[in-house]
Amino acid sequence: MNTKQLTRGAMVMAIYALLLFLNEQFGLFIETTFSWAFCFPILIYASTQPIYPSIICAIGMILETLLFGGFTTWFYSWTSILIGLFYGICTWKRKTSAFKLGGVFILSFLSYWLIFFLYAKIFALDYMEDFKLFHEIFPFLDLFVFLTLTVVLLSLLQTICIHLLAMMIYIRMKIETVPMKKVWQIKPPLWLGVGSIILLVVFLASQSVIECSERANDLILIAFALDLMALDYYGVVYMIHYCIAHRKRQWTFFAILLGFIPPLCLISIGLGELDCLLSLRHRRSKKENGI
């Protein structure tokens, strides 16, 4: 490591120590609300420096946590450091956004599962007590399905937040990275549309026609819920593309919002399914170009 890398590494560790200090002073506010903020110091450093100095800096940040944080802070910050290090190294190696998003989602998923598992074991938490009221409203859900879908949703939201903020920082700091795909370049796969129909049939059959074990029903329900999330995503992409193509960019916010409102998201799910099966955007582009 040269002097310049050491100086920048020291600055990053100082910023991280400030985050730890603020977290302690405000009653662990950072780690309980947006713990992924811990990832950004090492994310920015690893995006602009080689891999070896980045790993050394990450180890130094971990050692700082031992000095300035408690047990819960250790876990939240260490998983965030790992995620930030991964994202930064991928940026340095010029990996695509899809690769970075996939890796961050997997790491976030594993970290949230460990959080639920460790907290239940160490602090003797009984999730079933909190789940009873929710189970009365949705009797077809059990605790395993509920926790899995909760972890998936939290991981997805964390991945989106980290990625979008990282791209904003890269633009502001003029850090080179592989550009994100344009909306019209995101093509929904045909196999997803066909698989969605098959999953829907299997799900309906498992509820009334076919007798399945409890674990099999749980896995089918989880797969069906994940499939709906994917269709919802492609439906939102279709609506955004439609707004841009018709020069109504001010409506793109409402198109995104529509995908998060439970009753209304069925519209985006339906559009996503049609786009997968019929390639609506491709046909519209051909029609607009007179092909």
Side-chain angles (χ1 to χ4, degrees):
M1 294 178 67
N2 55 41
T3 305
K4 189 176 181 180
Q5 291 172 344
L6 286 172
T7 303
R8 290 183 176 179
M11 291 176 60
V12 168
M13 292 178 63
I15 294 172
Y16 178 70
L18 178 61
L19 283 176
L20 292 175
F21 175 76
L22 293 175
N23 181 59
E24 291 291 331
Q25 292 300 309
F26 289 98
L28 308 182
F29 174 75
I30 295 178
E31 69 179 67
T32 55
T33 52
F34 47 97
S35 59
W36 42 266
F38 289 121
C39 79
F40 282 100
I42 187 62
L43 184 151
I44 298 170
Y45 182 80
S47 299
T48 58
Q49 301 297 324
I51 297 176
Y52 177 72
S54 301
I55 294 176
I56 297 299
C57 184
I59 294 174
M61 293 167 66
I62 291 173
L63 295 177
E64 276 186 316
T65 315
L66 293 174
L67 297 175
F68 302 110
F71 174 78
T72 56
T73 307
W74 297 350
F75 188 81
Y76 282 115
S77 60
W78 290 350
T79 53
S80 297
I81 290 171
L82 178 61
I83 291 171
L85 182 64
F86 170 82
Y87 195 101
I89 290 176
C90 288
T91 300
W92 173 260
K93 301 291 288 185
R94 298 296 186 267
K95 298 295 183 180
T96 63
S97 295
F99 184 85
K100 291 187 286 189
L101 285 168
V104 171
F105 177 80
I106 292 173
L107 292 174
S108 299
F109 182 84
L110 294 175
S111 66
Y112 275 116
W113 257 125
L114 284 174
I115 287 173
F116 282 117
F117 176 76
L118 288 177
Y119 275 32
K121 293 294 184 181
I122 296 174
F123 300 109
L125 297 178
D126 186 5
Y127 294 123
M128 199 62 199
E129 290 294 327
D130 300 324
F131 179 69
K132 283 181 180 178
L133 179 60
F134 192 86
H135 184 66
E136 292 176 359
I137 303 173
F138 302 99
F140 57 90
L141 287 179
D142 65 7
L143 183 60
F144 174 74
V145 175
F146 176 75
L147 286 179
T148 302
L149 295 180
T150 301
V151 168
V152 168
L153 183 60
L154 291 174
S155 303
L156 182 62
L157 292 175
Q158 176 170 289
T159 301
I160 293 173
C161 290
I162 291 174
H163 182 65
L164 292 180
L165 285 176
M167 296 304 296
M168 291 173 61
I169 293 172
Y170 289 163
I171 294 172
R172 184 69 177 175
M173 299 182 65
K174 298 181 180 180
I175 298 174
E176 293 185 7
T177 183
V178 178
M180 297 174 62
K181 283 186 176 182
K182 306 297 183 182
V183 175
W184 51 86
Q185 293 176 325
I186 302 175
K187 298 179 180 180
L190 176 61
W191 61 264
L192 178 62
V194 176
S196 300
I197 296 175
I198 296 174
L199 263 177
L200 176 62
V201 173
V202 172
F203 173 72
L204 294 176
S206 66
Q207 299 299 309
S208 57
V209 180
I210 304 174
E211 278 195 23
C212 300
S213 64
E214 183 178 350
R215 185 58 64 198
N217 280 327
D218 292 344
L219 294 176
I220 292 172
L221 182 56
I222 291 172
F224 184 62
L226 295 177
D227 178 69
L228 292 180
M229 290 181 186
L231 293 178
D232 189 24
Y233 164 74
Y234 283 111
V236 170
V237 170
Y238 172 80
M239 289 187 289
I240 293 175
H241 183 214
Y242 182 89
C243 294
I244 294 175
H246 289 77
R247 298 179 180 179
K248 298 184 181 294
R249 293 178 178 268
Q250 67 273 18
W251 293 101
T252 55
F253 172 77
F254 298 101
I256 297 172
L257 187 63
L258 186 67
F260 288 92
I261 301 176
L264 298 179
C265 67
L266 294 175
I267 298 174
S268 58
I269 290 173
L271 289 173
E273 176 68 16
L274 291 175
D275 199 16
C276 289
L277 294 175
L278 306 176
S279 298
L280 295 179
R281 281 180 289 148
H282 180 65
R283 292 189 177 189
R284 179 175 295 277
S285 299
K286 290 176 65 178
K287 184 178 179 181
E288 291 172 353
N289 294 326
I291 301 177

